[in-house]
Amino acid sequence: LVLGGLRATPARFRVRAVRAGRRSGGSRLRFSLTRAAKITLSIRPAARCAGGSAKTRRCRARTLTLHGRAGSNRLTLSGRVAGKALPVGRFLAAVVAVDARGVRSAPVGLRFTVLR
C-alpha cells in the first residue's frame, strides 16, 4: 500500500466559515493510493508545546479519519476538526493509510498554516 503525492493547495488558508451561501476558506487536499484504504490525519501544532519537561511534553493531536479509493483522491480541508476550528498557526499532519487487510502505508508528513 502506497500513499503518495500528498499536498495541500493552498498550504496557507483561513478556516472555512460555517454559514450558508458563499464558501471561502479551507484548502484542497490531494493524494493517491495504490488500493482503497482508510486514511488517518493526525494534526499537531508545528511549534513546541508549552508546559512540562522535555520528556513529558505532549501536544494533543486532533484526528480526522476518512476513506480513500484506489487512484487519485481529493477532499476539502476546512480547518475544522470535530466541529471546532483549528487555532491560528502552523501545523504538521501525519497521514497514514490502512487497507482492508490491515496493511499500513509509510507515514507521510504535511505542513500547513491556518491564517486569521
Side-chain angles (χ1 to χ4, degrees):
L1 177 63
V2 177
L3 169 67
L6 180 68
R7 64 187 178 275
T9 310
R12 296 168 45 123
F13 60 92
R14 289 180 169 74
V15 174
R16 178 167 281 179
V18 184
R19 56 186 133 97
R22 197 178 100 214
R23 287 187 166 183
S24 63
S27 179
R28 196 70 138 179
L29 190 65
R30 292 175 183 240
F31 59 94
S32 62
L33 292 168
T34 54
R35 289 192 295 270
K38 183 172 79 170
I39 310 298
T40 304
L41 282 89
S42 183
I43 301 170
R44 297 180 183 275
R48 297 180 106 185
C49 297
S53 69
K55 290 182 181 178
T56 61
R57 189 175 296 146
R58 295 276 185 258
C59 291
R60 201 172 124 235
R62 297 172 187 195
T63 306
L64 285 172
T65 304
L66 48 113
H67 295 279
R69 62 181 191 272
S72 174
N73 292 269
R74 68 179 180 197
L75 61 104
T76 300
L77 187 62
S78 67
R80 294 180 181 277
V81 179
K84 294 186 178 182
L86 292 170
V88 172
R90 294 178 4 196
F91 292 88
L92 297 171
V95 184
V96 177
V98 181
D99 71 5
R101 292 185 291 173
V103 177
R104 299 173 69 88
S105 71
V108 178
L110 174 71
R111 293 178 184 266
F112 63 90
T113 303
V114 175
L115 302 172
R116 189 162 50 104

